[in-house]
Amino acid sequence: MLQINADTALQSAAQHVVALNGAQAIGVAWYEPARRDVVWGALVGPPEAQAVLTGLAQRVIHSDAPVREVDDGHGWVWGAPVSGSALHGALVAVGNGSQPVQPALLVLLAETATLAAELMGERQRSARLQRWFTASGRDIAGSAALAGLAHRINNPLTTVIGEAQLLQTEATDASAQAGLAAIERAGQRIRDGIESVLEFLQGNGLTETMDVNGSIEAALRLVTSELEGAGVRLTARLAPSLPLVRANAYDLTEAWVHLLVNARQAVSAVEASQIRLASTVRNGAILVTVADNGPVAVRRRRLLQPFAPDTSGSLFLAWTLVTRAGGQVLVASRPGIGTTIGARLPVAK
């Protein structure tokens, strides 16, 4: 559910550390109990180095202790445990010794990987919570639990960002500064994602004059990573300078999330799955559409039934939130093409 691509951020940071640290390869691996093996979340370096990294990662994971060794002065290996609430792994690196090791960079990357483990574990828990939300709506206790975890992540994240900023002031090499800046940007992206989740879960209940596109963009930050990870091609075309509507921004964000979740469920069995989201002005009202190319299963007459066999609870919840804002929900389905669900919202007077 979290729209935080921690693996991409880690890989970007690791690429800079490889260039700056004299490393041949760096990897972040998680231990998967079902397979009794390591699974790579991020790996930078030549393919032939993966076997060495895998063996090193297994040593670190099974001993839960750091590894820092020099091989007769010709090379070095480095590893640090990475632990999240639901994942256990290691950040490992191998080098040829031709350049001096910069432990501060590796330690900083290890701290970033630890945060990524926490976020990846939270994505798993959030997916389970999302299934519960689909059946029974947003829950205060669930929101408080997620908010508490977000605050716990924010504390070490502040340290990572601060250390990256401090090291930039001390670094004299331009490429070193560029690598540290990449780590800082990765931390900021994680922080932005956490703030999006908190805003979504802690809606203020206020009705205000607002921009619909802003609520759509907030929803996209929450679900885009999950859709792309599932191989769904998502496109969004938002008309610029839309008239304002009067609604609760958090309600509308949740409505778009539910419509995207509904579309994701519809295309789950489609190979070239596509979801298209758009906003426009039509007949004096704002129209937001979510179209998918899944099998036709939704029927207009069943739209108000929360858990009818050919609909989903997410669709019913979206209808509830849109109608609360004074809008209408429209459904159009064509066999062989897919389903388009539209939300029509009145312009604020």
Side-chain angles (χ1 to χ4, degrees):
M1 176 182 172
L2 287 182
Q3 167 43 27
I4 306 170
N5 198 334
D7 184 54
T8 300
L10 264 181
Q11 198 160 42
S12 174
Q15 286 171 344
H16 287 280
V17 174
V18 165
L20 299 172
N21 203 61
Q24 293 177 314
I26 288 180
V28 183
W30 318 112
Y31 183 70
E32 189 172 292
R35 294 172 53 177
R36 297 183 180 180
D37 200 358
V38 298
V39 177
W40 292 100
L43 182 67
V44 177
E48 56 268 23
Q50 183 165 348
V52 177
L53 289 176
T54 299
L56 181 58
Q58 289 173 333
R59 286 174 55 191
V60 173
I61 289 170
H62 293 312
S63 65
D64 197 27
V67 174
R68 295 172 179 81
E69 299 174 358
V70 177
D71 179 17
D72 297 329
H74 300 299
W76 54 266
V77 296
W78 186 98
V82 171
S83 296
S85 58
L87 289 170
H88 186 59
L91 183 141
V92 291
V94 295
N96 54 21
S98 61
Q99 297 184 39
V101 180
Q102 299 182 40
L105 289 179
L106 289 171
V107 170
L108 188 58
L109 188 59
E111 292 176 357
T112 305
T114 300
L115 289 171
E118 195 70 32
L119 289 166
M120 291 175 185
E122 180 53 26
R123 285 182 73 178
Q124 297 172 359
R125 289 192 299 276
S126 295
R128 292 194 295 270
L129 279 174
Q130 176 62 37
R131 290 193 292 270
W132 188 88
F133 292 157
T134 297
S136 56
R138 210 162 32 181
D139 177 75
I140 295 175
S143 298
L146 288 178
L149 177 64
H151 290 303
R152 290 199 301 274
I153 292 175
N154 261 332
N155 292 333
L157 182 59
T158 299
T159 301
V160 170
I161 294 173
E163 288 183 8
Q165 292 171 337
L166 179 61
L167 286 172
Q168 285 181 71
T169 64
E170 298 175 352
T172 57
D173 184 84
S175 32
Q177 290 182 338
L180 290 164
I183 294 175
E184 180 187 354
R185 288 193 299 272
Q188 293 288 2
R189 284 197 297 271
I190 294 173
R191 173 175 285 174
D192 291 344
I194 290 173
E195 290 177 353
S196 296
V197 173
L198 285 173
E199 288 178 358
F200 174 68
L201 291 172
Q202 299 175 337
N204 57 21
L206 299 177
T207 299
E208 58 188 346
T209 302
M210 54 159 292
D211 174 27
V212 170
N213 282 346
S215 65
I216 295 174
E217 290 166 354
L220 290 173
R221 287 195 296 270
L222 290 165
V223 301
T224 298
S225 179
E226 180 182 347
L227 294 176
E228 291 179 347
V232 178
R233 181 184 176 188
L234 173 64
T235 58
R237 293 194 304 175
L238 307 183
S241 303
L242 288 177
L244 300 179
V245 302
R246 188 158 186 81
N248 179 273
Y250 302 103
D251 278 357
L252 288 189
T253 296
E254 184 177 353
W256 313 140
V257 168
H258 286 309
L259 287 182
L260 289 167
V261 168
N262 177 75
R264 166 70 182 92
Q265 294 168 345
V267 300
S268 58
V270 178
E271 288 188 9
S273 53
Q274 298 180 26
I275 296 176
R276 301 180 305 280
L277 188 152
S279 67
T280 188
V281 179
R282 186 172 298 175
N283 298 326
I286 307 297
L287 182 64
V288 178
T289 58
V290 176
D292 65 72
N293 64 338
V296 172
V298 178
R299 297 291 181 266
R300 190 187 308 270
R301 61 184 173 82
R302 291 184 179 265
L303 187 60
L304 306 185
Q305 300 179 23
F307 308 109
D310 58 357
T311 64
S312 70
S314 56
L315 181 56
F316 173 76
L317 291 172
W319 175 86
T320 301
L321 293 163
V322 170
T323 54
R324 182 186 299 172
Q328 298 173 294
V329 176
L330 312 170
V331 180
S333 297
R334 293 182 63 186
I337 295 179
T339 298
T340 299
I341 299 176
R344 188 175 183 274
L345 295 166
V347 173
K349 297 180 180 179

